C-alpha cells in the first residue's frame, strides 16, 4: 500500500489495527524517564524515587457518615512531569491558598521585579534570593497602601535553556477610589530604587532594571493572575533543557520556601487579620473536592483512614473525578447534580 494511501487512514486495516494495539504516546512518561535517569546518575537518589513513584498511592479519607474520597499522593516537585503541570494538585493547592488570602480586596496589585541576565548567570544563593525578595516586598510596602504581600520567585521565563530570575509580588490595595494607578514619578522612583539595589548587591552598573506592574479589579482577572503567579515554572521539560550546572543549582535550593507571605498576610498573622474582616479563611480551598476538609454531601469533616495503591481502588465503589481524586458513588452523584445547570 502506498504511503500516501496510508496517511489518509480512511480504509486501511493496518492503521486501524495499529491504533488498537499500540499505546498512546505520552510525552510525560518520556520526560519522567529522563528526569529520573538524570537524578539517578547525579546522585539524587531520594528525589529520583520521589519523582518515579509520584502518584502511585492515594490517601483514603472518610467522613462520619461514611462518604469517602481517595486523593492521589504526589511529590509536589516542579520537575516532576505530574506535579509540574498547570492545574496539577500541587498547583491547585498553592493557587487556592493564595485566593483565600488575596481576592477579597477590590484591587489586587501585581508587580514584577526583573533581574539582569548577569544575576541569573551568577546563580544566587538562598541568602541572596531572600535578600532580593525582601527588597521587592519593601518597595511595594513603601509605595502602596497594602496590609501585606505574597512574593514568589520565578526562576525561568517562557524560554528554555537558561535561567531568568524575577520576583512576582501580589498585594491587595485598600482605601482607594477603586482604581489602580501609579503616578509616573512613583514608578520612576520604584525602578531607580530597584536598580540601585541590584547594582549594589551584585556589583553591577546597569542604567535601569525594569519593573512591571498591573492592577486587577475584577474577580476573573484576579483569579487569572493568582493562578499565573502560583503556576509551576521549572517544569520537567525546562529542567531538562538547563545546563548541568544550572540543574545542580536549582536542586540546591531544596528547603527554601519560594512562596512567601509578608505583613498582615504572613503565616503567623493572616488568620487574625482576615477573621477581623469577617472572611472565611478556607472558602476557596473548600471549592476543590481534593483539598476540601469537609464532605460536600453532609458537611462532616473528613478523617484519615489509610494509604492504598492506586490500582487497588475498588472501581465498583468509586468514580474518578479527575486525575487525582476518586469519590464514592453517592458523592459522585451529588457533585454531578451540583455541576448540572
Amino acid at each position: 500500500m502506498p504511503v500516501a494511501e496510508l496517511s489518509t487512514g480512511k480504509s486501511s486495516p493496518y492503521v486501524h489495527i495499529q491504533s488498537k494495539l499500540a499505546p498512546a504516546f505520552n510525552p510525560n512518561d518520556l520526560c519522567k524517564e529522563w528526569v529520573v535517569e538524570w537524578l539517578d546518575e547525579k546522585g539524587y537518589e531520594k528525589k529520583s524515587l520521589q519523582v518515579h513513584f509520584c502518584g502511585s498511592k492515594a490517601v483514603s479519607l472518610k467522613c462520619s457518615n461514611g462518604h469517602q474520597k481517595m486523593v492521589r499522593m504526589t511529590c509536589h516537585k516542579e520537575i516532576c512531569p505530574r506535579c509540574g503541570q498547570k492545574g496539577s494538585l500541587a498547583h491547585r493547592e498553592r493557587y487556592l491558598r493564595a485566593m483565600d488570602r488575596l481576592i477579597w480586596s477590590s484591587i489586587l496589585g501585581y508587580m514584577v521585579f526583573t533581574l539582569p541576565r548577569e544575576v541569573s548567570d551568577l546563580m544566587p544563593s538562598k541568602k541572596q534570593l531572600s535578600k532580593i525578595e525582601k527588597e521587592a516586598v519593601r518597595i511595594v510596602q513603601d509605595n502602596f497602601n497594602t496590609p501585606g504581600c505574597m512574593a514568589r520567585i520565578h526562576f525561568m521565563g517562557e524560554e528554555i535553556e537558561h535561567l531568568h530570575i524575577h520576583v512576582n509580588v501580589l498585594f491587595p490595595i485598600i482605601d482607594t477610589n477603586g482604581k489602580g494607578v501609579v503616578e509616573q514619578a512613583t514608578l520612576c522612583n520604584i525602578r531607580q530604587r530597584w536598580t540601585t539595589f541590584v547594582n549594589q548587591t551584585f556589583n553591577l552598573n546597569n542604567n535601569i532594571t525594569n519593573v512591571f506592574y498591573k492592577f486587577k479589579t475584577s474577580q476573573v482577572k484576579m483569579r487569572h493572575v493568582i493562578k499565573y503567579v502560583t503556576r509551576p515554572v521549572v517544569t520537567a521539560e525546562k529542567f531538562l533543557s538547563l545546563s548541568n550546572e544550572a540543574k545542580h543549582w536549582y536542586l540546591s535550593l531544596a528547603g527554601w520556601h519560594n512562596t512567601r507571605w509578608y505583613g498582615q498576610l504572613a503565616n503567623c498573622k493572616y488568620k487574625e487579620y482576615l477573621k477581623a474582616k469577617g472572611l472565611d479563611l478556607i472558602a476557596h480551598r473548600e471549592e476543590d473536592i481534593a483539598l476540601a476538609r469537609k464532605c460536600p454531601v453532609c458537611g462532616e469533616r473528613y478523617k484519615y483512614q489509610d494509604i492504598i495503591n492506586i490500582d487497588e481502588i475498588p472501581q465498583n465503589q468509586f468514580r474518578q473525578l479527575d486525575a487525582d481524586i476518586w469519590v464514592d458513588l453517592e458523592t459522585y452523584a451529588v457533585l454531578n447534580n451540583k455541576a448540572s445547570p
Side-chain angles (χ1 to χ4, degrees), residues 87-114:
S88 68
L89 195 58
H91 181 204
R92 281 150 52 193
E93 186 173 356
R94 281 194 303 272
Y95 159 62
L96 292 172
R97 285 179 182 275
M99 286 276 291
D100 284 324
R101 292 199 212 183
L102 293 172
I103 204 167
W104 51 267
S105 176
S106 60
I107 298 179
L108 182 65
Y110 172 42
M111 300 203 80
V112 182
F113 294 82
T114 67

Side-chain angles (χ1 to χ4, degrees), residues 56-72:
S56 61
K57 294 181 182 294
V59 60
S60 172
L61 301 127
K62 184 186 290 187
C63 76
S64 58
N65 289 318
H67 304 117
Q68 197 168 357
K69 68 176 179 177
M70 306 278 188
V71 182
R72 193 186 295 272

Side-chain angles (χ1 to χ4, degrees), residues 242-261:
L242 293 172
S243 68
N244 280 343
E245 183 184 10
K247 288 191 185 80
H248 285 299
W249 170 79
Y250 178 71
L251 294 176
S252 75
L253 301 178
W256 185 78
H257 297 292
N258 188 10
T259 304
R260 300 194 181 196
W261 296 87

